[in-house]
């Protein structure tokens, strides 16, 4: 299969392999100004990569692939540069530690005869932001929902939601994906579809029919690999052997969360001692201590991501720590809200604000590299909304900027020197 790029640009055509050139905004708009070479920000470019659901793959969507935007650091506005279309439902993407490569899951179940999804590796052209496909391999299970790159850059880890498996893929020297070094399938008792501590009036359910790994990522040291299993209501912890890519259960192999709570995503504090666990079904954040020596998780506090006034159905989705780790943010999909928590010195959380996303079904959250803007991928309303961040109070204010894009679910930002 060959790849295609759908671009908002002017083309130079007339021969095979014709070069296409995208004119910068100041060349298209007489009112815009060319970058000032004396301005440090003008010597950098910030790309934003956005993935989401295409027509191929559950639940189906309006996306076209992985879209590359350029961010204006002064306004936060995202300008569409191009879309890599030769990929089905890239619902989660991740950059390599050296920022040279990007990896994407395809949340599908028909990549091969084993009813697997897939993982694709790309190289990144820092001069243009363009992606070049390196290779695509099986994910080891159906409908992969998440992937991450180990801090060493040597392995890509993938969580196959419907397949119920966690896979580890070896990264080759050129950034492409090699053999699968580990494939694990956890089992456990059937858990309830709803949590007893749900928000009042919540009719939404989370699938607890079997194991459903929803996130896999290493701790900041790279010694441990954690998996949130939304079907078994467990957080698994393994050690990883960097020579073999094999996983071994930690001394305490898993921590059981509230039955029916559906643990979804997590965030680590930078020192690796504090862990924030987000459960989608009851829209709760569990604050835990993490022991970097043993991998043990010790829950300390549970807080709701909706106010006490809330009534109705909601499912929490994304969780994000501010760069200074003084604030934490959570998106609530059905409630269409963003929760803002203040983080105490001991890591405890206090809900200080809740704001409307101005869109429907907000999924992933991400800051731009400066931490000045917060972006939300709104799957059902086919848009990205952005918010200015008050770094002193943590509160956010809507920019009134909507970026249209079909069924977005995830982001990655990349800041590079301007060529």
């Amino acid at each position: 299969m060959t790849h295609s790029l759908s671009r908002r640009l002017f083309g130079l055509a007339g021969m095979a392999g014709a070069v296409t050139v995208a004119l910068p905004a100041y060349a298209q708009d007489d009112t815009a100004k060319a970058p000032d070479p004396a301005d440090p920000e003008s010597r950098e470019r910030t790309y934003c990569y956005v993935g989401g659901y295409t027509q191929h793959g559950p639940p189906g969507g309006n996306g076209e692939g992985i879209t590359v935007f350029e961010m204006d650091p002064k306004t936060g506005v995202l300008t569409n540069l191009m879309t890599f279309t030769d990929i089905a439902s890239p619902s989660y993407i991740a950059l390599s530690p050296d920022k040279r490569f990007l990896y994407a899951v395809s949340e599908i179940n028909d990549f091969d005869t084993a009813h697997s999804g897939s993982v694709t590796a790309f190289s990144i052209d820092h001069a243009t932001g363009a992606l070049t496909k390196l290779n695509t391999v099986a994910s080891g299970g159906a409908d992969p929902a998440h992937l991450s790159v180990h801090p060493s850059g040597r392995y890509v880890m993938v969580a196959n939601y419907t397949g119920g498996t966690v896979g580890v893929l070896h990264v080759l020297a050129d950034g492409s994906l090699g053999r699968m070094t580990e494939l694990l399938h956890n089992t456990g008792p059937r858990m309830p579809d709803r949590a007893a501590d749900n928000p009042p009036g919540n009719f939404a359910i989370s699938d607890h029919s079997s194991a459903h790994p929803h996130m896999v990522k290493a701790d900041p040291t790279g010694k441990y690999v954690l998996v949130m299993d939304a079907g078994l209501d467990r957080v698994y912890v393994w050690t990883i052997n960097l020579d073999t890519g094999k996983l071994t259960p930690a001394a305490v192999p898993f921590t059981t969360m509230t039955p029916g709570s559906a643990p979804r995503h997590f965030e680590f504090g930078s020192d690796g001692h504090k862990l924030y666990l987000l459960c989608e079904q009851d829209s709760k954040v569990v604050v835990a201590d993490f022991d970097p020596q043993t991998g043990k998780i010790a829950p300390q506090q549970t807080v709701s991501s909706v106010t006490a006034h809330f009534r109705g159905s909601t499912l929490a989705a994304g969780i994000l720590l501010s760069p200074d780790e003084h604030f934490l943010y959570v998106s609530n999909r059905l409630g269409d809200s963003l929760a803002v928590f203040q983080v105490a010195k001991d890591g405890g959380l206090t809900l200080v604000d809740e704001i409307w996303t101005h869109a429907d079904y907000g999924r992933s959250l991400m800051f731009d590299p400066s931490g000045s803007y917060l972006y939300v991928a709104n799957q059902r309303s086919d848009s990205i909304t952005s918010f200015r961040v008050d770094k002193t109070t943590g509160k956010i204010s809507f920019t009134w900027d909507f970026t249209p894009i079909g069924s977005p679910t995830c982001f990655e930002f990349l800041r590079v020197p301007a060529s």
Side-chain angles (χ1 to χ4, degrees):
M1 181 160 53
T2 59
H3 76 268
S4 58
L5 289 176
S6 170
R7 303 181 184 229
R8 182 180 299 173
L9 44 74
F10 295 90
L12 301 175
M15 63 177 118
V19 177
T20 52
V21 180
L23 295 183
Y26 64 84
Q28 304 175 38
D29 182 356
D30 292 338
T31 64
K33 294 181 180 180
D36 178 4
D39 182 354
E41 289 185 337
S42 73
R43 298 195 293 270
E44 296 177 325
R45 300 186 72 179
T46 300
Y47 299 119
C48 177
Y49 297 86
V50 183
Y53 289 113
T54 66
Q55 291 182 353
H56 184 193
N62 302 316
E64 296 180 327
I66 300 175
T67 300
V68 187
F69 294 91
E70 183 164 7
M71 176 201 163
D72 185 327
K74 291 184 171 60
T75 65
V77 170
L78 300 176
T79 299
N80 190 322
L81 299 180
M82 65 193 83
T83 297
F84 186 96
T85 60
D86 186 21
I87 187 169
S89 289
S91 63
Y92 210 87
I93 59 178
L95 289 169
S96 62
D98 62 9
K99 313 301 183 186
R100 295 172 56 209
F101 307 104
L102 184 139
Y103 300 92
V105 300
S106 282
E107 194 171 326
I108 57 176
N109 56 22
D110 58 357
F111 177 73
D112 57 16
T113 56
H115 303 291
S116 175
S118 63
V119 182
T120 299
F122 299 91
S123 62
I124 302 172
D125 183 341
H126 283 192
T128 65
L131 300 174
T132 298
K133 181 187 286 189
L134 300 177
N135 70 331
T136 301
V137 300
S139 67
D143 305 318
H146 186 273
L147 87 170
S148 62
V149 187
H150 189 270
S152 68
R154 297 171 63 179
Y155 299 97
V156 168
M157 303 169 290
V158 57
N160 297 295
Y161 180 84
T162 303
T165 58
V166 175
V168 180
L169 295 160
H170 183 225
V171 177
L172 303 180
D174 65 354
S176 63
L177 294 165
R179 65 187 178 89
M180 184 167 285
T181 62
E182 186 69 279
L183 186 64
L184 300 175
H185 191 165
N186 296 310
T187 59
R190 178 69 161 84
M191 304 300 282
D193 288 329
R194 293 183 175 87
D197 61 350
N198 268 353
N202 188 3
F203 289 90
I205 63 171
S206 298
D207 184 1
H208 285 82
S209 59
S210 61
H212 289 311
H214 211 305
M215 179 178 180
V216 55
K217 192 173 183 179
D219 77 312
T221 70
K223 178 180 179 180
Y224 296 99
V225 172
L226 281 70
V227 170
M228 299 283 269
D229 195 311
L232 300 178
D233 295 326
R234 291 175 175 176
V235 184
Y236 287 88
V237 183
W238 289 278
T239 59
I240 183 168
N241 185 316
L242 292 182
D243 293 326
T244 65
K246 293 291 185 180
L247 300 177
T248 301
V252 179
F254 62 83
T255 297
T256 300
M257 307 295 283
T258 298
S261 61
R264 179 183 175 90
H265 280 185
F266 63 82
E267 277 275 85
F268 264 105
S270 58
D271 66 1
H273 290 275
K274 195 61 66 175
L275 178 61
Y276 300 92
L277 307 160
L278 179 63
C279 298
E280 72 170 29
Q281 172 57 213
D282 58 2
S283 296
K284 299 289 174 66
V285 181
V286 177
V287 183
D289 290 333
F290 183 81
D291 187 339
Q293 300 302 316
T294 66
K296 181 179 179 181
I297 296 171
Q300 303 294 319
Q301 180 193 22
T302 300
V303 294
S304 177
S305 63
V306 295
T307 67
H309 302 285
F310 181 84
R311 299 292 184 272
S313 293
T314 190
L315 292 170
I319 184 169
L320 185 67
L321 267 175
S322 63
D324 63 9
E325 301 185 17
H326 293 166
F327 304 96
L328 182 136
Y329 303 82
V330 169
S331 62
N332 293 299
R333 282 173 288 174
L334 297 178
D336 294 336
S337 68
L338 297 172
V340 182
F341 295 92
Q342 187 168 28
V343 181
K345 289 183 179 180
D346 65 357
L349 298 179
T350 301
L351 182 65
V352 295
D353 200 11
E354 187 177 20
I355 186 171
W356 177 34
T357 58
H358 290 262
D360 187 16
Y361 217 68
R363 294 277 297 255
S364 289
L365 312 172
M366 188 158 286
F367 290 104
D368 77 288
S370 73
S372 300
Y373 292 92
L374 177 66
Y375 295 84
V376 183
N378 302 291
Q379 179 187 339
R380 290 184 179 172
S381 58
D382 300 310
S383 68
I384 297 167
T385 47
S386 60
F387 300 81
R388 290 185 184 87
V389 180
D390 184 323
K391 297 180 183 180
T392 301
T393 66
K395 293 189 176 183
I396 55 178
S397 57
F398 186 45
T399 63
W400 292 99
D401 181 57
F402 294 85
T403 303
I405 180 173
S407 307
T409 59
C410 58
F411 302 97
E412 279 285 20
F413 278 88
L414 174 62
R415 177 184 282 172
V416 299
S419 57

